[in-house]
C-alpha cells in the first residue's frame, strides 16, 4: 500500500528519511483523477526517483459553492489508481492543516491574474496561488507538474515561483484530449450524452477560427454560452458553458494559423 499522509509533519519526517540523492516529483491535484492527471504522474515517474501526489479539494479557489460541492471526489478510487501507477506517496491534508490561518494570508498576483479566468471567477487565482505556495513549501519537490489546459494557471504558478525564488522547476505538460478533441476535465462527466457530443465543437471552433471574434460567433451559433474568447500573447483562450458545465481550453495561435493556411491550399 502507498503511504497516505494527512498531516504535513508526518509527510515532512517521511521526506527527511528519503535519501538525499533522490529527486522528488510532485503532482498537485484536487482528486477526481482522470487520464489528464495520469499523464502528469507518468511524466513525473519517468523524470524523478520518487513521485508524490497531493489530493486536496481546495475550497478557497472556488468562487461558486455549487461548483465546489459538485466537484467529483472519490478518495478510495483515486488512491487505488495512484497505487496502480506506482507513485511513492499521497499527501491528502484537510482544510485546517492547510489553512491554520483560516485563509487570512493570501497570495495575490496583480496583473496577469485579472483577465479571462480571473475576471470570470473572482478570487480564483488567489486561492490557487495560495494553496500551491503552501503545497510547494510543504512537499518541497525538485519538480512540480502542471497541465497546459489551465494555461493561465500554469503561467501564474511559474511567475510566483520566480517572484518568490522558490527552488522548484515547474514542468508544463501538454493537454490530454479525448478522441474527439475535448480536453479531459473532471467536470466533463457532468455533461449529458447530447451535450458531450456537442462539446467536441468547442476545441474545434477555437482551433480553426480566423480570430477570436469569429470563434465567439461560431461557438454561440453552435449553442455554447460563451464566457470569453481571447487572443493574447500568442495563444487563443476560451471558456464556455454547456448545460451549466464550464469548459476551458487554449491553443497556440501559431498552430491555428498554420492549420488555416493548410486548409486554404
Ligand atoms: O489544477 C488544479 O487541479 C488545481 O488548481 C491545483 C493546482 C491542484 C491547486 O488546487
Amino acid at each position: 500500500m502507498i503511504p497516505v499522509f494527512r498531516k504535513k509533519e508526518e509527510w515532512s519526517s517521511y521526506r527527511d528519511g528519503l535519501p538525499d540523492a533522490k529527486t522528488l516529483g510532485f503532482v498537485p491535484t484536487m482528486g477526481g483523477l482522470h487520464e489528464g492527471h495520469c499523464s502528469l504522474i507518468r511524466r513525473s515517474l519517468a523524470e524523478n526517483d520518487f513521485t508524490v501526489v497531493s489530493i486536496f479539494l481546495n475550497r478557497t479557489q472556488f468562487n461558486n459553492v455549487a461548483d465546489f460541492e459538485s466537484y467529483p471526489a472519490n478518495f478510495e478510487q483515486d488512491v487505488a489508481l495512484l497505487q496502480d501507477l506506482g507513485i511513492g506517496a499521497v499527501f491528502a491534508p484537510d482544510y485546517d492543516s492547510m489553512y491554520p490561518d483560516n485563509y487570512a494570508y493570501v497570495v495575490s498576483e496583480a496583473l496577469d491574474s485579472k483577465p479571462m479566468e480571473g475576471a470570470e471567477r473572482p478570487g480564483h487565482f488567489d486561492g490557487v496561488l495560495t494553496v500551491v505556495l503552501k503545497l510547494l513549501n510543504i512537499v518541497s519537490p525538485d519538480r512540480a507538474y502542471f497541465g497546459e489546459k489551465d494555461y493561465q494557471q500554469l503561467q501564474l504558478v511559474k511567475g510566483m515561483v520566480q517572484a518568490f525564488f522558490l527552488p522548484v522547476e515547474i514542468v508544463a505538460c501538454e493537454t490530454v484530449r479525448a478522441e474527439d478533441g475535448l480536453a479531459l476535465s473532471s467536470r466533463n462527466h457532468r455533461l449529458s450524452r447530447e451535450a458531450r457530443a456537442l462539446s467536441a465543437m468547442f476545441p474545434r471552433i477555437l482551433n480553426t477560427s480566423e480570430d477570436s471574434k469569429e470563434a465567439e460567433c461560431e461557438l454561440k451559433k453552435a449553442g455554447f454560452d460563451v464566457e470569453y474568447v481571447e487572443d493574447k500573447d500568442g495563444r487563443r483562450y476560451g471558456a464556455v458553458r454547456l448545460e451549466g458545465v464550464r469548459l476551458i481550453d487554449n491553443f497556440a495561435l501559431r498552430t491555428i494559423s498554420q492549420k488555416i493556411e493548410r486548409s486554404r491550399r
Side-chain angles (χ1 to χ4, degrees):
M1 285 293 283
I2 35 172
V4 176
F5 298 98
R6 297 279 182 184
K7 300 269 170 248
K8 70 177 178 37
E9 294 75 15
E10 291 166 10
W11 159 252
S12 300
S13 63
Y14 183 83
R15 196 206 189 292
D16 289 347
L18 292 174
D20 272 353
K22 289 203 176 234
T23 58
L24 195 136
F26 173 47
V27 183
T29 82
M30 296 200 295
L33 302 183
H34 52 68
E35 188 46 39
H37 298 109
C38 294
S39 77
L40 305 184
I41 293 165
R42 283 194 202 99
R43 175 125 180 228
S44 174
L45 285 165
E47 293 178 356
N48 300 282
D49 301 304
F50 191 93
T51 290
V52 57
V53 174
S54 65
I55 299 180
F56 178 64
L57 186 50
N58 177 41
R59 72 173 189 239
T60 66
Q61 71 187 73
F62 287 83
N63 57 313
N64 178 323
V65 182
D67 195 23
F68 172 66
E69 283 171 354
S70 58
Y71 195 88
N74 189 334
F75 188 72
E76 280 70 35
Q77 203 171 297
D78 287 344
V79 173
L81 178 65
L82 294 173
Q83 172 98 30
D84 288 348
L85 286 167
I87 68 156
V90 178
F91 180 54
D94 60 16
Y95 179 85
D96 289 341
S97 29
M98 286 303 282
Y99 290 100
D101 59 331
N102 200 15
Y103 199 42
Y105 287 85
V106 177
V107 180
S108 269
E109 193 279 344
L111 299 170
D112 296 336
S113 66
K114 299 305 169 196
M116 301 187 294
E117 288 302 285
E120 294 297 329
R121 306 179 68 189
H124 169 65
F125 285 126
D126 290 358
V128 170
L129 293 177
T130 304
V131 81
V132 171
L133 179 62
K134 285 170 186 264
L135 287 167
L136 292 176
N137 278 337
I138 295 168
V139 174
S140 197
D142 298 288
R143 301 188 183 96
Y145 294 78
F146 289 82
E148 288 188 339
K149 182 173 82 69
D150 298 295
Y151 205 85
Q152 200 180 356
Q153 164 176 287
L154 167 68
Q155 294 306 108
L156 289 166
V157 168
K158 281 186 177 169
M160 177 179 73
V161 162
Q162 272 192 351
F164 293 121
F165 315 109
L166 303 181
V168 59
E169 179 191 345
I170 300 300
V171 182
C173 303
E174 240 180 72
T175 304
V176 180
R177 298 179 180 279
E179 257 179 43
D180 63 4
L182 183 68
L184 298 191
S185 159
S186 310
R187 295 186 176 91
N188 293 354
H189 83 283
R190 286 197 229 145
L191 295 166
S192 68
R193 191 199 290 250
E194 298 72 40
R196 175 62 192 82
L198 176 62
S199 64
M201 296 283 285
F202 173 43
R204 215 171 299 152
I205 291 172
L206 209 57
N207 195 14
T208 52
S209 301
E210 292 258 2
D211 55 42
S212 58
K213 274 277 147 272
E214 180 186 307
E216 187 169 341
C217 226
E218 292 300 314
L219 285 165
K220 282 182 179 157
K221 255 198 258 164
F224 294 93
D225 290 329
V226 180
E227 286 191 354
Y228 62 81
V229 180
E230 255 187 73
D231 290 353
K232 191 173 183 292
D233 302 333
R235 276 195 109 75
R236 176 168 300 153
Y237 298 82
V240 295
R241 279 183 191 269
L242 201 53
E243 293 180 333
V245 178
R246 216 166 167 269
L247 307 171
I248 66 169
D249 210 338
N250 66 86
F251 293 93
L253 285 175
R254 186 174 33 86
T255 61
I256 298 176
S257 46
Q258 280 166 358
K259 206 173 223 177
I260 294 172
E261 272 304 302
R262 273 202 302 274
S263 71
R264 284 197 184 125
R265 275 186 216 138

